[in-house]
């Protein structure tokens, strides 16, 4: 046998000989505290409503949301990100249900805080798309375009009502220019300097959002390409990052996760604030669908995807498997 280089003296396989050895030398470790559970609460239902494209995920009632929050906290999950689904009749052009102090999202925030207190970090989606009758993340102008600055006024009000309802963190997800600074000013104005902002810094216009649209009952026609990022671009994510940090973001996020691991790694290398990644509905649905067909090992695929996201630099991962995975860890 011809020997090249340092072989046979150097044998990397020695560190893979058994599970305990592999665990000991593992560079990346998942922990329940890394995980955040996205959850949907829907107005006007008496029992949980299954989401057909997301097996095992439901639109919650306030009561089942409370139970889900307790289960997540008991499993060691760090946070829960709440999305509200109002009754169709309450949707309008400016998403007023999103700033109603008694709206479904604010009711969900209060319910979770009442149930678990500070045992979970309660996060709320700061965006209008669930509440508008056109499905866009902001207010439209006379030509049907999303009006950035008019939308910021709505976001300011949303930040305040979500903080009043008990949110520890507002998740600014609308991708409007200036949204972090406006939300920070709005929160500080009402004396809520303690409420953090998670900036959806690099949120791409992705084909993988499809199941989420069902989950929130989105009325969207068309697309969000004028405000969400172009999948072809990487450098602009760093520009968005610089702006969000300058405006006061406490944490930053990349969304989706798996198609944008390169972006996640670049952002993680740039910052000294916590970095999150959102393993979105389409990523979840692909694994569940392939597993249902018997094409992949479901549990192994779930752990591999989450490990990949953590390895790329995420401190926190939003995933619909959060409670399940935390229980196994």
């Amino acid at each position: 046998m011809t020997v090249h280089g340092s072989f046979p003296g150097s044998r990397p396989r020695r560190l893979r000989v058994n599970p305990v050895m592999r665990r000991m030398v593992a560079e990346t470790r998942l922990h329940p505290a890394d995980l955040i559970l996205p959850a949907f609460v829907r107005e006007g239902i008496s029992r949980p409503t299954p989401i057909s494209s997301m097996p095992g995920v439901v639109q919650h009632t306030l009561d089942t949301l409370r139970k889900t929050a307790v289960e997540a906290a008991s499993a060691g999950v760090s946070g829960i990100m709440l999305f509200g689904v109002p009754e169709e009749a309450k949707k309008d052009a400016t998403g007023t249900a999103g700033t109603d102090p008694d709206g479904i999202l604010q009711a969900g925030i209060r319910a979770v805080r009442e149930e678990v207190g500070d045992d979970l970090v309660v996060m709320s989606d700061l965006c209008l798309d669930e509440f508008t009758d056109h499905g866009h993340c902001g207010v439209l102008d006379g030509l049907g375009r999303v009006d950035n600055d008019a939308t910021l006024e709505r976001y300011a009000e949303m930040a305040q009502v979500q903080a009043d309802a008990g949110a520890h963190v507002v998740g600014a997800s609308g991708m409007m220019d200036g949204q972090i600074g406006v939300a920070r000013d709005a929160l500080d104005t009402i004396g809520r300097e303690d409420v953090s902002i998670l900036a959806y810094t690099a949120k791409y216009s992705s084909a993988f959002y499809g199941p989420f649209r069902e989950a929130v009952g989105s009325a969207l026609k068309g697309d969000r390409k004028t405000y969400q990022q172009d999948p072809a671009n990487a450098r602009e994510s760093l520009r968005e990052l610089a702006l969000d940090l300058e405006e006061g973001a406490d944490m930053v996020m990349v969304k989706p996760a798996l198609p944008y691991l390169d972006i996640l790694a670049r952002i993680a290398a740039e910052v000294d604030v916590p970095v999150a990644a959102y393993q979105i509905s389409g990523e979840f649905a692909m694994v569940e669908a392939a597993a249902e067909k018997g094409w992949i090992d479901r549990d192994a695929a779930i752990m591999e995807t989450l490990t990949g996201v953590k390895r790329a630099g995420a401190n926190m991962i939003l995933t619909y498997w959060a409670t399940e995975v935390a229980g196994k860890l």
Side-chain angles (χ1 to χ4, degrees), residues 227-238:
Y227 45 104
Q228 294 178 352
Q229 283 185 241
D230 185 339
N233 293 342
R235 288 193 300 268
E236 72 174 352
S237 67
L238 300 181

Side-chain angles (χ1 to χ4, degrees), residues 177-197:
D177 295 338
Q179 63 182 9
I180 303 305
V182 165
R184 183 72 271 156
D185 288 346
L187 291 167
D188 293 352
T189 296
I190 61 169
R192 297 308 308 270
E193 295 88 354
D194 58 319
V195 174
S196 303
I197 299 177

Side-chain angles (χ1 to χ4, degrees), residues 50-313:
I51 300 167
S52 64
S53 54
M54 300 176 69
V57 181
V58 301
Q59 295 170 326
H60 287 286
T61 68
L62 288 172
D63 287 340
T64 63
L65 180 66
R66 290 174 180 270
K67 179 180 178 183
T68 294
V70 170
E71 291 172 349
S74 298
V77 171
S78 283
I80 186 167
M81 175 65 80
L82 299 178
F83 298 89
V85 185
E87 294 177 339
E88 285 296 320
K90 293 186 179 179
K91 294 181 180 182
D92 61 23
T94 59
T96 52
T99 51
D100 180 354
D102 297 318
I104 186 59
L105 180 52
Q106 284 67 252
I109 295 167
R110 284 193 294 271
V112 172
R113 283 300 304 272
E114 289 168 3
E115 197 68 29
V116 299
D118 293 331
D119 291 343
L120 274 180
V121 177
V122 178
M123 303 178 170
S124 54
D125 183 48
L126 180 57
C127 195
L128 287 171
D129 59 318
E130 299 101 310
F131 305 102
T132 56
D133 56 13
H134 46 73
H136 277 288
C137 297
V139 179
L140 303 184
D141 65 16
L143 298 176
R145 303 170 301 189
V146 175
D147 185 327
N148 191 94
D149 295 3
T151 299
L152 293 181
E153 295 179 17
R154 303 288 295 122
Y155 286 1
E157 189 177 351
M158 287 189 82
Q160 292 175 340
V161 297
Q162 290 176 4
D164 286 342
H168 295 105
V169 178
V170 295
S173 66
M175 290 299 289
M176 297 296 121
D177 295 338
Q179 63 182 9
I180 303 305
V182 165
R184 183 72 271 156
D185 288 346
L187 291 167
D188 293 352
T189 296
I190 61 169
R192 297 308 308 270
E193 295 88 354
D194 58 319
V195 174
S196 303
I197 299 177
L198 170 59
Y200 284 55
T201 291
K203 182 179 181 181
Y204 282 85
S205 180
S206 172
F208 292 96
Y209 294 132
F212 181 89
R213 306 267 166 84
E214 177 191 353
V216 297
S218 175
L220 180 67
K221 293 180 176 60
D223 58 53
R224 298 185 173 122
K225 293 181 180 180
T226 65
Y227 45 104
Q228 294 178 352
Q229 283 185 241
D230 185 339
N233 293 342
R235 288 193 300 268
E236 72 174 352
S237 67
L238 300 181
R239 184 183 184 195
E240 294 278 5
L241 173 66
L243 291 168
D244 284 351
L245 294 175
E246 182 182 353
E247 292 174 26
D250 300 287
M251 299 170 276
V252 296
M253 186 194 288
V254 175
K255 180 181 181 180
L258 289 180
Y260 299 94
L261 293 181
D262 60 323
I263 306 300
L264 175 59
R266 289 179 69 167
I267 285 179
E270 289 281 334
V271 302
D272 57 4
V273 300
V275 178
Y278 197 147
Q279 186 181 56
I280 67 170
S281 59
E283 299 174 61
F284 172 93
M286 285 194 303
V287 172
E288 292 287 354
E292 190 275 331
K293 291 284 189 180
W295 294 339
I296 61 173
D297 180 325
R298 176 185 181 274
D299 292 352
I302 290 171
M303 295 305 294
E304 185 175 343
T305 60
L306 291 171
T307 300
V309 176
K310 181 76 180 291
R311 188 184 65 244

